Every structure is written in C-alpha cells, then in structure tokens.
Amino acid sequence: MRLRPSALLRFYSLCGLLIQGSQGQFPLTQNVTVVEGGTANLTCRVDQNDNTSLQWSNPAQQTLYFDDKKALRDNRIELVRASWHELSISVSDVSLSDEGQYTCSLFTMPVKTSKAFLTVLGVPEKPQISGFTSPVMEGERMQLTCKTAGSKPAADIRWFKNDKEIKDVKYLKEEDANRRTFTVSSTLDFRADRSDDGAVLRCRVDHESLNSTPQIAMQVLEIHYTPSVKIISSSSWPEEGQSIVLTCESKGKPLPEPVLWTKDGGELPDPERMVVNGRDLRISFLNKTDNGTYRCEATNPIGQNSTEYVLIVHDPNALAGQTGPDHALIGGIVAVVVFVTLCSIILLGRYLARHKGTYLTNEAKGAEDAPDADTAIINAEGSQVNAEEKKEYFI
C-alpha cells in the first residue's frame, strides 16, 4: 500500500517530534551518603518520558534493574518504585565496597545518563585508652593513648579532664590495611600531681557517622602521694583550768592512719590529762607546764610529713586585770600633758619679757650724759628722724 504524499508528510513530522522530544529528556539523580551497615536509596526521575526504559547500574557497570526487572542477583538490592517517570531502588546493609559512582540510563537515541555518587561512611570503633597503670605515684610522667579504628573519613579525637578540654595533645592518623578507613590515635603526656587524684579523663571521638552522639572512653585517675598535715586548735586563747583539743588534719593517698603526737621532741608527759583519740589530742585542766611545741606526724607507704603547734596557756587573772583601766597608761598621759603645759608657760613668759617695749637702737649723741631716759629721748629728737618710735615705755 502506498501512502499519499500528504499522509507521508504527516508521518515524517510525527517522527521528528518524537525524536526531538526524546532528545530533550534527561534523567535526574542525586548523590547519596549512608553510614556503613545502613540502607541507600537511589532514585532516578524523568519529567517527560515517552515509554522509554530506565536502568540502574553499579560502579562496575553491572545492571542492577532494567525498568522493574532485577538483573543482578544480590538480595540486598530491592525495587522501590518503577514507572515511566521514575526508577528507585534500595541497597541494604551497605558496605564500604559499595561506595562509588552509580549510573541511571534513559534509553533514548542516543542514550542519556546521569551519575549519582554513593558515599559510605566508616563508623569508628569504640575508643580504648591505654598506658594507664594504677596506682601512679605523684611526680611520675604519664602517657595515655586513646585509639579508634575503622573511621572514614578519619575521626576526630578530643581529651577532657573533669569536663574541661585539654588542648596540648598529640594526634596521629594512619590508613588501615583496606586502604579505605583510618586508625586515629591521640596521646596525652603529663606529670602526675596529687590534685589529679580522682580526676576523670575522657577520650571523645566525634564523627559524622555518629549522628552527633560521640563515642567516649573514660579513665579515673588514682594518684598516690605523701601526707599533708595541719593542726587545728579548738581554742584561740587557751587559759589555765580549761581544756583544749588539737586536731591533726592529715590528707594522703593511701590515707595515713594513725598519727603520732609528741611534745618538745619527746613523748606526751602527762598521759592522764593528755589523751589521744584518733587524730585528736585532748589536754584537760591546762596549766603553765603544758606550754610548749606539739608535733603531729602522719605516715603512709609513700612517705611521712609533720607539722607543729606552739601552745601558750594564759593566766585568766592577768587577763582580767588587763580588761580594767590601764593606770600606767593614764599616768603617762597626764605626765605628758603637764610637761607640755609647763613648756608652754615658759615659752610664753620669755616671749612677753622680750617684747615689753621698743628700745632705741641708736641713741642720740650725748644721751649717755642724760640724767634719765626721758631726757635722753628729748635730746635725741633733733638728730633722729623717728625718735618717737625709739621711746621706751615702762609699765
């Protein structure tokens, strides 16, 4: 059967539209990141499709699904959805070897493809702290190492002591034998101090595969150190007849027990009044003979330490006398006042004596022959300009 020219023209036009439409179609995919052991969903979409087939293939270019038909025998790979506009599959129990570039193909003329990269995150193993041997002696150098393997990309390790981050640490990253994951370690180097006893060290591993929930290894420090000793008195002003308790406060690891009390370098002289109970020394009915230096000594397997307390027993009667008026002090004040008053009177008298009147400093010639002072002044008036000022008045 031969087609008429008009029908043949319409046929060619329709074929051209189909070819042009198929050439404008492109599959759309997205990169996927999944944690090792998880499930990856790969989706390929086409906005407009004229019944053209879609296909997913793995990094080895093996076909996984062609439309809704499974091509690779792998129980982990399943079909999620298949239509003319979408082909979605899932890969469960993802391993590191599944990582790579997956291809979605649209079988037009020519075939159009879109790539989706599957990234598999290696989960770091639970960290372990090594290098700690308990107990540690004060002053010893400690090197603690925290290590974790299997992370991809390499995990981050941070140290904390009692929730405060330690910055000065060494960090090392090594590639594992599979050449995919990393082993990461961090070393903490410090000298043991008694203040570190009971401190909690935490090694924290952060990684994007952990969903903001870091993995933590913990180590409690036990530091042994020599005792520190301090004596606390129950009275700041011990008096005769009273009692006093001296407490020997000792700290150390291991805890020193018991403590040793001595007086002036020897044993306690009066065991009946001086009774030791644990760390307490109680002295009853104090008197002047109890004055002296009391020493407390504490010892543990690491070493020993001691401290001293000087006891001075006061006379309550002397103390009562000091509470009344201090007559010696009052007498001294009165004497000073009297002395100052007498000095003031003497100085005032001398001042008045020296300023009783005004004398002539340069008498007139012939004044020595005058019978009296008034005549001398009158005789000097002619030759002295300010004779009136040189006149002396007697009171």
Side-chain angles (χ1 to χ4, degrees):
M1 183 181 69
R2 299 180 63 182
L3 296 175
R4 290 183 298 176
S6 59
L8 186 62
L9 179 62
R10 287 197 297 271
F11 175 74
Y12 285 137
S13 298
L14 179 61
C15 289
L17 289 174
L18 290 173
I19 293 173
Q20 183 179 1
S22 64
Q23 288 179 347
Q25 299 172 33
F26 285 91
L28 302 175
T29 60
Q30 286 184 333
N31 295 333
V32 176
T33 299
V34 63
V35 176
E36 182 181 12
T39 299
N41 292 309
L42 300 173
T43 300
C44 179
R45 291 189 177 91
V46 180
D47 291 336
Q48 297 179 356
N49 192 358
D50 53 355
N51 299 335
T52 303
S53 295
L54 292 170
Q55 171 187 288
W56 270 113
S57 57
N58 63 15
Q61 295 304 311
Q62 296 171 314
T63 301
L64 303 179
Y65 264 91
F66 185 84
D67 288 337
D68 60 350
K69 298 176 180 62
K70 189 173 183 178
L72 187 66
R73 292 182 179 180
D74 190 336
N75 295 330
R76 300 178 306 131
I77 303 174
E78 296 180 356
L79 178 67
V80 177
R81 185 177 180 182
S83 68
W84 295 115
H85 298 286
E86 178 181 336
L87 179 59
S88 296
I89 64 174
S90 66
V91 183
S92 60
D93 194 20
V94 174
S95 65
L96 294 173
S97 60
D98 293 323
E99 183 175 86
Q101 188 167 267
Y102 289 72
T103 304
C104 175
S105 301
L106 176 64
F107 284 89
T108 58
M109 293 297 293
V111 176
K112 296 181 176 63
T113 62
S114 180
K115 308 292 184 180
F117 197 90
L118 174 61
T119 301
V120 181
L121 300 177
V123 182
E125 297 176 359
K126 184 175 178 59
Q128 301 290 332
I129 297 178
S130 61
F132 181 76
T133 55
S134 182
V136 178
M137 302 303 168
E138 182 179 27
E140 287 186 5
R141 181 167 292 280
M142 300 177 62
Q143 283 190 337
L144 303 183
T145 299
C146 180
K147 180 180 291 187
T148 178
S151 60
K152 176 181 171 296
D156 182 39
I157 294 182
R158 300 161 68 188
W159 283 97
F160 293 84
K161 182 169 73 172
N162 293 337
D163 299 326
K164 183 178 180 180
E165 186 172 359
I166 304 172
K167 296 292 186 179
D168 189 15
V169 295
K170 297 178 181 178
Y171 182 83
L172 180 63
K173 178 179 70 174
E174 297 177 318
E175 193 175 51
D176 293 335
N178 58 18
R179 305 187 67 83
R180 294 176 181 271
T181 58
F182 295 89
T183 294
V184 182
S185 62
S186 178
T187 301
L188 181 63
D189 191 340
F190 65 100
R191 194 173 296 278
D193 185 79
R194 64 182 60 198
S195 61
D196 295 327
D197 183 52
V200 179
L201 289 180
R202 290 182 175 86
C203 167
R204 170 174 162 173
V205 175
D206 292 289
H207 193 262
E208 54 188 301
S209 67
L210 299 176
N211 297 322
S212 302
T213 305
Q215 292 182 342
I216 296 176
M218 186 175 65
Q219 179 66 62
V220 180
L221 299 182
E222 182 181 1
I223 312 298
H224 283 192
Y225 55 93
T226 57
S228 60
V229 187
K230 180 173 65 174
I231 295 178
I232 301 175
S233 174
S234 63
S235 175
S236 59
W237 190 270
E239 299 179 3
E240 289 184 304
Q242 294 181 346
S243 297
I244 190 173
V245 177
L246 302 180
T247 300
C248 182
E249 193 176 82
S250 59
K251 297 180 181 178
K253 193 75 174 286
L255 185 66
E257 185 72 35
V259 297
L260 176 64
W261 282 99
T262 58
K263 178 179 183 291
D264 296 331
E267 296 181 356
L268 298 176
D270 192 345
E272 293 185 0
R273 291 189 305 110
M274 300 177 178
V275 179
V276 176
N277 183 14
R279 289 177 168 77
D280 294 340
L281 169 60
R282 182 182 183 85
I283 307 175
S284 305
F285 305 107
L286 290 171
N287 57 65
K288 292 292 186 180
T289 62
D290 297 326
N291 290 344
T293 301
Y294 291 80
R295 178 187 178 94
C296 169
E297 182 178 299
T299 304
N300 68 2
I302 312 303
Q304 70 89 23
N305 202 352
S306 62
T307 189
E308 295 178 343
Y309 177 85
V310 178
L311 175 62
I312 300 177
V313 180
H314 300 273
D315 185 354
N317 297 325
L319 182 63
Q322 291 180 5
T323 58
D326 193 338
H327 298 289
L329 179 61
I330 295 175
I333 295 174
V334 171
V336 172
V337 172
V338 171
F339 177 75
V340 172
T341 302
L342 290 176
C343 291
S344 300
I345 293 173
I346 292 172
L347 292 175
L348 181 61
R350 294 187 62 184
Y351 176 81
L352 294 176
R354 298 180 65 180
H355 295 78
K356 291 167 60 177
T358 304
Y359 292 90
L360 288 174
T361 58
N362 188 13
E363 290 126 343
K365 187 176 180 181
E368 295 177 354
D369 299 330
D372 51 32
D374 289 336
T375 305
I377 292 173
I378 294 171
N379 292 338
E381 287 180 351
S383 59
Q384 300 294 331
V385 177
N386 295 321
E388 188 66 29
E389 295 181 1
K390 299 177 182 179
K391 189 176 181 179
E392 179 181 4
Y393 292 93
F394 294 92
I395 300 174

